[in-house]
Amino acid sequence: MRRREEMRGWLLASPYLLFSLIFFVVPFAWAAVLVFTRWDLISPQRHWVGLANFAEALASPRVQAAFWTPFKFMAIFLPTVLVAAIAIALLVNSLGRWSGLAAVGFFMPYLASGVAMALVVQGILSYNSPVSDVFFRLFGDVPDWLGVPALAITVIALMIAWKFSGYYALIFLAGLQSIPRELYEAAAIDGAGQWTSFWRITLPQLYPALYSVMILAVGLMFGIFTEPYMLTGGGPDLATHTWYLEIYYQAFSALRAGYASAVAVLNAVAVFLVLTVVRRLMEWWGRATGWV
Amino acid sequence: MGVRRARALRAVGKAILLIVGLAVSIFPYAYMVLQSLAPWSEVNRSIVPTQLTVRSYDWLLHGSAIALARPWLRAFGNSALVTSASTLLMLASALVVGYALSRLRWRGRDVVNQVILFQMFYPAIILLVPTFLVVRQLGMYDTYWGMIVPKAVNLWAIFMYVSFFKSIPQEVLEAARIDGAGELRIISRIVLPMSIPITAVVGLFLFMERWSELLWDLIVVKEYRMMTLNVLIATMSGPYATYPGPLYAASTLLTLPIVLVFVAASRYFTRGIQLVFK
């Protein structure tokens, strides 16, 4: 009986075990070798180059640009998406009967393919568009939206914020719905207004949701590919060049399998370090405000 | 009177916020559909076209003397095939594996659960190039297999099912076992019907992500006739830039299935989403 149950367990888990062997263990081992080699994905010759790939990547202006891009995106993306998501969550939560329907509406942007939305953004910002018309009338000129570094970064960061606001709002909404009512009742008895109870009860109680969203949102900024690929190709002047664009370009255009894998390892290290800092900051801030 | 007025003001303010917020959420979709139906002289020049025409869609299907026809319809079929095969495989494997990892007693179980957690947090980007090499080695380059097989098992889906199945009472399963039902029968007849809401929401997320995938499908496919619609639009947006109308039409076709699947799943959405965002 025990043996049969043992067998059953392994058997039912076998799809995962087999998949992991082929698409995790083997690539994992292969990557560990690749990063120390120079290879063009085609020829039988592979050169062992030791740490040269890493040395070259660290000195490369393209990789350095990719390192800074997530922080530039964050400066616009984080404030926008946090304010929008919390506002949406509060609004949806206060609707009562219609909250389900409203949540579905605000979630819609998350469904869009980045490719389709990139076309729409390109169209709206194109030279003859109604938006350009407004700028012509007001200032007599149109900003070069995707040709100026600061503007290109803003456009892409806002696109991603549009997509994720409703999605993060659902996480905040789950947080809002778990706040005990007694807290608000007690505050009302103490004569607290809406504003006070928002700052003293709602926000501190949303801290766990805020923590999760921060980790998700910061991590997201290191994995951007579709939007710059479609809109700017990483330009102007590498201003929107991202880690994934660099890895894609090096592996599949420049055919440098080893170098691209080394850049991917650096990307992983950067994400790990930044997320560790974000975690520490969030914990420190939570203690400082007394929210944890 | 003052209290009443304040309340009315707040209700009006809320309504305005709601309308503006939903308008911002929906606007790009509306813009895309309107531009796909606009006469070519008006595309991107006005938000609402003066007249509607299906010329862009017609052009997508038949091309013209000026530009090469691309297999748009076939690309749509490719997307549908790859996405539905992937999504079904991911759901089926997650259901069976999740059941084994939560409701069966076996020695390797806890280790496997730990390994899955490790894999979930392992940076997948490091595996991108070697996974491509594995797929090429297996002869799956430029085939449907190359788009389906590497995306046939999803760790997040397994994880979701493991945490959900823990809430199923043991007595129900024992009763079925005493009646002589095998494990696969228990999964299909008892466990699956009990997890419809979470299956709908997890399935929705898996479908959506697979349908909109760009990076992997771009890498693993070479020929136009094998491309998914998403990849075809992406590769065409360069030389086709002079034909924005058809590109909007293609994007509308690309967006439609996701919206339909979402509407179909939205019955379970509010209930299931709480399970996902616990």
Side-chain angles (χ1 to χ4, degrees):
Chain A
M1 191 67 208
R2 287 278 328 157
R3 284 243 346 248
R4 264 184 53 196
E5 184 135 17
E6 188 77 18
M7 277 293 297
R8 267 192 218 137
W10 287 105
L11 199 67
L12 289 183
S14 64
Y16 156 78
L17 296 168
L18 193 67
F19 179 89
S20 279
L21 181 67
I22 301 170
F23 294 108
F24 190 86
V25 177
V26 173
F28 186 97
W30 208 335
V33 178
L34 263 182
V35 292
F36 303 112
T37 58
R38 192 171 72 229
W39 182 43
D40 64 3
L41 293 128
I42 299 159
S43 73
Q45 269 117 29
R46 293 171 210 202
H47 300 281
W48 186 263
V49 294
L51 292 171
N53 285 329
F54 291 102
E56 187 190 339
L58 287 171
S60 146
R62 296 174 64 91
V63 174
Q64 284 165 9
F67 175 82
W68 290 113
T69 304
F71 300 104
K72 294 187 271 182
F73 283 156
M74 265 181 236
I76 311 243
F77 176 76
L78 286 180
T80 312
V81 87
L82 288 175
V83 170
I86 293 177
I88 292 170
L90 287 169
L91 184 64
V92 169
N93 199 36
S94 70
L95 289 178
R97 241 181 75 215
W98 299 101
S99 69
L101 201 62
V104 165
F106 282 115
F107 188 75
M108 284 290 284
Y110 187 72
L111 304 176
S113 155
V115 171
M117 281 310 128
L119 284 171
V120 169
V121 167
Q122 214 166 12
I124 291 176
L125 300 181
S126 66
Y127 196 73
N128 295 315
S129 72
V131 173
S132 301
D133 230 29
V134 172
F135 276 88
F136 265 123
R137 269 188 220 146
L138 289 177
F139 310 106
D141 197 10
V142 184
D144 185 2
W145 294 105
L146 299 172
V148 177
L151 288 178
I153 288 159
T154 307
V155 166
I156 291 175
L158 289 180
M159 262 178 87
I160 302 167
W162 172 81
K163 177 172 178 167
F164 278 87
S165 293
Y167 175 81
Y168 292 156
L170 290 173
I171 302 178
F172 285 121
L173 192 61
L176 282 176
Q177 285 167 349
S178 66
I179 301 176
R181 266 167 198 273
E182 295 81 36
L183 286 178
Y184 289 110
E185 283 159 12
I189 290 166
D190 291 344
Q194 286 221 304
W195 200 233
T196 317
S197 55
F198 172 75
W199 285 104
R200 290 292 176 80
I201 299 166
T202 311
L203 264 189
Q205 291 282 323
L206 277 184
Y207 177 84
L210 191 65
Y211 187 95
S212 319
V213 170
M214 274 297 281
I215 300 292
L216 286 175
V218 171
L220 180 75
M221 294 292 100
F222 285 81
I224 302 293
F225 174 77
T226 304
E227 288 81 1
Y229 175 83
M230 290 288 297
L231 288 173
T232 61
D237 224 1
L238 297 178
T240 58
H241 192 55
T242 66
W243 286 102
Y244 280 32
L245 275 178
E246 178 67 7
I247 292 160
Y248 171 78
Y249 168 81
Q250 294 293 357
F252 302 101
S253 296
L255 296 180
R256 304 176 67 197
Y259 182 73
S261 299
V263 174
V265 170
L266 291 179
N267 167 244
V269 171
V271 174
F272 176 77
L273 289 177
V274 170
L275 284 183
T276 306
V277 171
V278 169
R279 280 204 177 88
R280 288 280 151 78
L281 279 175
M282 286 296 291
E283 277 152 21
W284 169 82
W285 182 61
R287 276 198 302 274
T289 49
W291 288 3
V292 182
Chain B
M1 193 67 209
V3 174
R4 247 231 209 92
R5 180 175 287 174
R7 210 172 261 167
L9 265 178
R10 200 179 299 142
V12 170
K14 233 198 287 192
I16 291 173
L17 264 181
L18 187 65
I19 289 163
V20 169
L22 287 174
V24 170
S25 296
I26 304 299
F27 175 73
Y29 289 99
Y31 184 86
M32 180 175 72
V33 175
L34 287 170
Q35 300 305 317
S36 77
L37 294 167
W40 285 16
S41 58
E42 289 183 37
V43 173
N44 284 334
R45 304 212 172 175
S46 59
I47 293 172
V48 181
T50 49
Q51 55 186 45
L52 298 180
T53 161
V54 290
R55 188 183 168 194
S56 288
Y57 291 90
D58 191 51
W59 196 88
L60 263 198
L61 301 182
H62 306 115
S64 73
I66 314 161
L68 279 173
R70 295 281 176 231
W72 295 100
L73 263 188
R74 191 187 154 102
F76 185 88
N78 290 345
S79 279
L81 172 73
V82 165
T83 306
S84 41
S86 264
T87 307
L88 285 175
L89 285 168
M90 287 192 273
L91 279 175
S93 61
L95 196 67
V96 174
V97 174
Y99 177 80
L101 289 173
S102 60
R103 306 316 304 248
L104 291 177
R105 284 188 304 272
W106 45 292
R107 251 195 305 265
R109 192 179 82 170
D110 297 338
V111 178
V112 172
N113 269 315
Q114 292 297 320
V115 171
I116 287 183
L117 272 181
F118 166 76
Q119 281 174 298
M120 274 173 81
F121 288 106
Y122 186 83
I125 187 70
I126 294 180
L127 304 178
L128 182 74
V129 177
T131 303
F132 168 80
L133 297 172
V134 168
V135 165
R136 196 179 64 176
Q137 207 71 21
L138 294 171
M140 293 179 184
Y141 179 66
D142 211 20
T143 68
Y144 291 126
W145 300 112
M147 290 185 272
I148 295 168
V149 178
K151 299 205 175 269
V153 173
N154 184 285
L155 298 170
W156 171 77
I158 294 174
F159 182 79
M160 285 309 338
Y161 274 126
V162 167
S163 54
F164 177 78
F165 288 162
K166 283 175 180 160
S167 65
I168 295 178
Q170 188 66 27
E171 299 79 40
V172 179
L173 303 179
E174 288 304 336
R177 283 202 189 112
I178 288 164
D179 290 344
E183 300 301 331
L184 283 176
R185 198 183 164 81
I186 292 176
I187 292 173
S188 62
R189 291 294 164 81
I190 297 168
V191 175
L192 182 58
M194 284 174 100
S195 36
I196 294 286
I198 194 162
T199 302
V201 172
V202 168
L204 171 76
F205 275 87
L206 295 176
F207 182 91
M208 221 159 49
E209 277 167 28
R210 187 67 199 85
W211 182 268
S212 301
E213 173 73 42
L214 179 65
L215 183 54
W216 178 254
D217 296 346
L218 198 64
I219 288 167
V220 88
V221 158
K222 185 174 77 224
E223 301 285 340
Y224 280 120
R225 38 175 223 91
M226 293 304 295
M227 283 179 184
T228 60
L229 189 54
N230 211 25
V231 174
L232 189 59
I233 295 173
T235 45
M236 285 290 100
S237 50
Y240 263 59
T242 38
Y243 298 102
L247 280 175
Y248 281 123
S251 300
T252 305
L253 289 180
L254 179 74
T255 310
L256 203 64
I258 313 184
V259 173
L260 290 179
V261 168
F262 181 58
V263 169
S266 64
R267 280 180 48 210
Y268 304 106
F269 185 72
T270 27
R271 212 159 22 123
I273 213 80
Q274 287 161 353
L275 299 166
V276 171
F277 286 137
K278 244 194 330 229

Coordinates of all heavy atoms in Angstrom, one line a residue, chain B residues 183-211:
Chain B
E183 N -6.6 7.5 -9.2 CA -6.2 8.9 -8.9 C -6.6 9.8 -10.0 O -7.1 10.9 -9.8 CB -4.7 9.0 -8.6 CG -4.2 8.2 -7.4 CD -4.8 8.6 -6.1 OE1 -5.3 9.8 -6.0 OE2 -4.9 7.7 -5.2
L184 N -6.4 9.4 -11.3 CA -6.8 10.2 -12.4 C -8.3 10.5 -12.5 O -8.7 11.6 -12.8 CB -6.3 9.6 -13.7 CG -4.8 9.7 -14.0 CD1 -4.4 9.0 -15.3 CD2 -4.4 11.2 -14.1
R185 N -9.0 9.4 -12.1 CA -10.5 9.6 -12.1 C -10.9 10.6 -11.0 O -11.8 11.4 -11.2 CB -11.1 8.2 -11.8 CG -12.6 8.1 -12.2 CD -13.1 6.8 -11.8 NE -14.6 6.8 -11.8 CZ -15.3 6.7 -12.9 NH1 -14.7 6.6 -14.1 NH2 -16.6 6.8 -12.8
I186 N -10.2 10.5 -9.8 CA -10.5 11.4 -8.7 C -10.2 12.8 -9.1 O -11.0 13.7 -8.9 CB -9.7 11.0 -7.5 CG1 -10.1 9.7 -6.9 CG2 -9.8 12.1 -6.4 CD1 -9.3 9.2 -5.7
I187 N -9.1 13.0 -9.9 CA -8.7 14.3 -10.3 C -9.8 14.9 -11.3 O -10.3 16.0 -11.1 CB -7.4 14.3 -11.0 CG1 -6.3 14.1 -10.0 CG2 -7.1 15.7 -11.7 CD1 -4.9 13.9 -10.6
S188 N -10.2 14.1 -12.2 CA -11.1 14.6 -13.2 C -12.6 14.7 -12.8 O -13.3 15.6 -13.2 CB -11.1 13.7 -14.5 OG -11.5 12.4 -14.2
R189 N -13.0 13.8 -11.8 CA -14.4 13.8 -11.4 C -14.7 14.6 -10.1 O -15.8 15.1 -9.9 CB -14.9 12.3 -11.2 CG -15.0 11.5 -12.4 CD -16.1 12.1 -13.3 NE -16.0 11.6 -14.7 CZ -16.4 10.4 -15.1 NH1 -17.0 9.6 -14.2 NH2 -16.3 10.1 -16.3
I190 N -13.7 14.7 -9.3 CA -13.9 15.4 -8.0 C -13.1 16.7 -7.9 O -13.6 17.8 -7.6 CB -13.6 14.4 -6.8 CG1 -14.5 13.2 -6.9 CG2 -13.7 15.2 -5.5 CD1 -14.1 12.1 -6.0
V191 N -11.8 16.6 -8.1 CA -10.9 17.7 -7.8 C -11.2 18.9 -8.8 O -11.3 20.0 -8.5 CB -9.4 17.3 -7.9 CG1 -8.5 18.5 -7.7 CG2 -9.2 16.3 -6.7
L192 N -11.2 18.5 -10.1 CA -11.4 19.5 -11.2 C -12.7 20.3 -11.0 O -12.7 21.5 -11.0 CB -11.3 18.9 -12.6 CG -11.4 19.9 -13.7 CD1 -10.3 21.0 -13.7 CD2 -11.3 19.1 -15.1
P193 N -13.9 19.6 -10.8 CA -15.1 20.4 -10.6 C -15.1 21.3 -9.4 O -15.7 22.3 -9.4 CB -16.2 19.3 -10.4 CG -15.6 18.1 -11.1 CD -14.1 18.2 -10.9
M194 N -14.3 20.9 -8.4 CA -14.2 21.8 -7.2 C -13.4 23.0 -7.4 O -13.4 23.9 -6.6 CB -13.7 21.0 -6.0 CG -14.7 20.0 -5.4 SD -13.9 19.0 -4.2 CE -14.4 19.8 -2.7
S195 N -12.5 23.0 -8.5 CA -11.6 24.1 -8.7 C -11.9 24.9 -9.9 O -11.0 25.4 -10.5 CB -10.2 23.6 -8.6 OG -10.0 22.3 -9.2
I196 N -13.1 24.9 -10.3 CA -13.5 25.7 -11.6 C -13.1 27.2 -11.5 O -12.4 27.7 -12.4 CB -15.0 25.5 -11.9 CG1 -15.3 24.1 -12.3 CG2 -15.4 26.5 -13.0 CD1 -14.8 23.6 -13.6
P197 N -13.4 27.9 -10.4 CA -13.0 29.3 -10.4 C -11.6 29.6 -10.5 O -11.1 30.4 -11.3 CB -13.6 29.8 -9.1 CG -14.6 28.8 -8.6 CD -14.2 27.5 -9.2
I198 N -10.7 28.8 -9.8 CA -9.3 29.0 -9.8 C -8.8 28.6 -11.2 O -7.9 29.2 -11.8 CB -8.6 28.4 -8.7 CG1 -7.1 29.0 -8.6 CG2 -8.5 26.9 -8.8 CD1 -6.4 28.8 -7.3
T199 N -9.3 27.5 -11.8 CA -8.9 27.1 -13.1 C -9.2 28.1 -14.1 O -8.4 28.4 -15.0 CB -9.6 25.8 -13.5 OG1 -9.3 24.8 -12.4 CG2 -9.1 25.2 -14.8
A200 N -10.4 28.8 -14.0 CA -10.7 29.8 -15.0 C -9.7 31.0 -14.9 O -9.3 31.5 -16.0 CB -12.2 30.3 -14.7
V201 N -9.4 31.4 -13.7 CA -8.5 32.6 -13.6 C -7.1 32.2 -13.9 O -6.4 33.0 -14.7 CB -8.6 33.2 -12.2 CG1 -7.6 34.3 -12.0 CG2 -10.0 33.8 -11.9
V202 N -6.6 31.1 -13.4 CA -5.2 30.7 -13.8 C -5.1 30.5 -15.3 O -4.2 30.9 -16.0 CB -4.8 29.4 -13.0 CG1 -3.5 28.8 -13.6 CG2 -4.6 29.7 -11.5
G203 N -6.2 29.8 -15.9 CA -6.2 29.6 -17.3 C -6.2 30.9 -18.1 O -5.5 31.1 -19.1
L204 N -7.0 31.9 -17.6 CA -7.0 33.2 -18.2 C -5.6 33.9 -18.3 O -5.2 34.3 -19.3 CB -8.0 34.1 -17.5 CG -8.0 35.6 -17.9 CD1 -8.7 35.8 -19.2 CD2 -8.6 36.5 -16.8
F205 N -4.9 33.8 -17.1 CA -3.6 34.4 -17.1 C -2.6 33.7 -18.0 O -1.8 34.3 -18.7 CB -3.1 34.4 -15.6 CG -3.5 35.6 -14.8 CD1 -4.7 35.6 -14.1 CD2 -2.7 36.7 -14.8 CE1 -5.1 36.7 -13.4 CE2 -3.1 37.8 -14.0 CZ -4.3 37.8 -13.3
L206 N -2.7 32.4 -18.0 CA -1.8 31.6 -18.8 C -2.1 31.9 -20.3 O -1.1 32.1 -21.1 CB -1.9 30.1 -18.6 CG -1.5 29.6 -17.2 CD1 -1.9 28.1 -17.0 CD2 -0.1 29.8 -16.9
F207 N -3.3 31.9 -20.7 CA -3.7 32.2 -22.1 C -3.2 33.5 -22.5 O -2.6 33.7 -23.6 CB -5.3 32.1 -22.2 CG -5.8 32.3 -23.6 CD1 -5.9 31.2 -24.5 CD2 -6.0 33.6 -24.1 CE1 -6.4 31.4 -25.8 CE2 -6.5 33.8 -25.4 CZ -6.7 32.7 -26.2
M208 N -3.5 34.5 -21.7 CA -3.1 35.9 -22.0 C -1.6 36.0 -22.2 O -1.1 36.6 -23.2 CB -3.5 36.8 -20.8 CG -4.1 38.0 -21.1 SD -5.0 38.6 -19.7 CE -3.8 38.4 -18.4
E209 N -0.8 35.5 -21.3 CA 0.6 35.6 -21.4 C 1.2 34.9 -22.6 O 2.1 35.4 -23.3 CB 1.3 35.1 -20.1 CG 1.3 36.2 -19.0 CD 1.6 35.7 -17.7 OE1 2.4 34.7 -17.6 OE2 1.2 36.3 -16.7
R210 N 0.6 33.7 -22.9 CA 1.1 32.9 -24.0 C 0.7 33.6 -25.3 O 1.5 33.6 -26.2 CB 0.5 31.5 -23.9 CG 1.1 30.6 -25.0 CD 2.6 30.3 -24.7 NE 3.3 29.8 -25.8 CZ 3.9 30.6 -26.8 NH1 3.7 31.9 -26.8 NH2 4.6 30.0 -27.8
W211 N -0.5 34.2 -25.4 CA -1.0 34.8 -26.6 C -0.1 36.0 -26.9 O 0.1 36.3 -28.1 CB -2.4 35.2 -26.4 CG -3.1 35.8 -27.6 CD1 -3.1 37.1 -27.9 CD2 -3.7 35.1 -28.7 NE1 -3.8 37.3 -29.1 CE2 -4.1 36.1 -29.6 CE3 -3.9 33.8 -29.0 CZ2 -4.8 35.8 -30.8 CZ3 -4.6 33.5 -30.2 CH2 -5.0 34.5 -31.1

